[in-house]
């Protein structure tokens, strides 16, 4: 697991695996330990079975999915996760027991490494790292979250060159 976010209730934690794009729903225990509630894929497609395959030339496991980031809406109702390899942003509803329910999946124009959400939970910013998908340039994408329609839509994008955009913006 590489990325995580904490629910505003201070009890639930969600962790995203960069390699397999799986989300672990965890519950903070009184003694400070974490108890796993569930584990599920952040993708809308099945994970290929690469059991027994050798490492890639870059030294990565062949099932490296390159998940990018995970954030929770300020109201605690939704979790958003980005998957760079398949250029996708997943949206999950947070259930009362802390489990996640898939709601929708939105395509990204680039490779979304970093996510930030507005205080009103209606705007999601995706910072795409420089890649061949974007002509070697970074990109900032602006998504609108329509809670009623349960739809995440890209409404704007802006190229940003000459820097790694995944680490330039503070929390919104």
């Amino acid at each position: 697991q590489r990325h995580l976010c904490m629910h505003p209730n201070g009890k639930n934690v969600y962790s995203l695996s960069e390699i397999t794009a799986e989300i672990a729903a965890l519950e903070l225990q009184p003694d400070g330990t974490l108890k796993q509630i569930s584990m599920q894929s952040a993708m809308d497609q099945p994970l290929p079975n690469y059991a027994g395959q050798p490492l890639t030339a870059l030294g990565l496991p062949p099932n490296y999915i390159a998940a990018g980031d995970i954030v929770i809406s300020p109201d605690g109702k939704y979790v958003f996760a980005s998957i760079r390899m398949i250029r996708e942003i997943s949206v999950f509803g947070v259930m009362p027991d802390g489990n996640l329910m898939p709601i929708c999946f939105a395509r990204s124009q680039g490779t979304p490494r970093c996510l930030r959400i507005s205080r009103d939970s209606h705007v999601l910013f995706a910072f795409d790292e420089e890649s061949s998908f974007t002509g070697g340039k970074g990109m900032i994408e602006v998504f609108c979250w329509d809670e009623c329609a349960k739809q995440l839509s890209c409404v704007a994008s802006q190229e940003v060159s000459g820097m790694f955009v995944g680490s330039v913006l503070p929390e919104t």
Side-chain angles (χ1 to χ4, degrees):
Q1 302 300 74
R2 179 163 179 174
H3 310 280
L4 66 88
C5 62
M6 180 171 250
H7 194 281
N9 69 12
K11 178 179 164 184
N12 297 102
V13 176
Y14 301 96
S15 177
L16 177 65
S17 167
E18 181 176 17
I19 293 174
T20 62
E22 292 176 301
I23 299 175
L26 308 160
E27 185 177 85
L28 186 60
Q29 301 299 297
D31 66 359
T33 61
L34 292 169
K35 175 184 171 188
Q36 184 173 312
I37 301 170
S38 64
M39 177 82 78
Q40 69 186 85
S41 177
M43 300 188 306
D44 66 343
Q45 51 193 280
L47 184 65
N49 183 1
Y50 291 106
Q53 298 280 329
L55 295 178
T56 68
L58 296 174
L60 298 169
N63 65 334
Y64 181 70
I65 302 300
D69 202 1
I70 187 167
V71 296
I72 191 161
S73 60
D75 60 13
K77 293 181 180 180
Y78 303 100
V79 166
F80 300 82
S82 65
I83 301 101
R84 292 177 287 152
M85 189 68 71
I86 61 172
R87 301 185 305 167
E88 185 173 84
I89 298 173
S90 308
V91 183
F92 295 86
V94 178
M95 307 305 293
D97 64 0
N99 279 300
L100 299 177
M101 177 176 49
I103 293 179
C104 73
F105 303 89
R107 292 290 292 168
S108 173
Q109 297 174 45
T111 51
R113 181 178 258 308
C114 181
L115 301 175
R116 292 292 183 263
I117 191 161
S118 63
R119 287 188 179 100
D120 66 5
S121 303
H122 296 298
V123 180
L124 181 78
F125 298 93
F127 301 90
D128 302 339
E129 64 186 342
E130 297 174 354
S131 74
S132 59
F133 294 123
T134 59
K137 297 182 187 234
M139 185 183 314
I140 298 173
E141 293 181 88
V142 181
F143 289 83
C144 179
W145 169 239
D146 184 336
E147 185 174 8
C148 294
K150 303 291 189 241
Q151 186 174 353
L152 185 67
S153 304
C154 184
V155 295
S157 63
Q158 175 67 49
E159 274 188 6
V160 181
S161 61
M163 65 181 182
F164 181 73
V165 300
S167 59
V168 298
L169 194 75
E171 293 287 330
T172 55

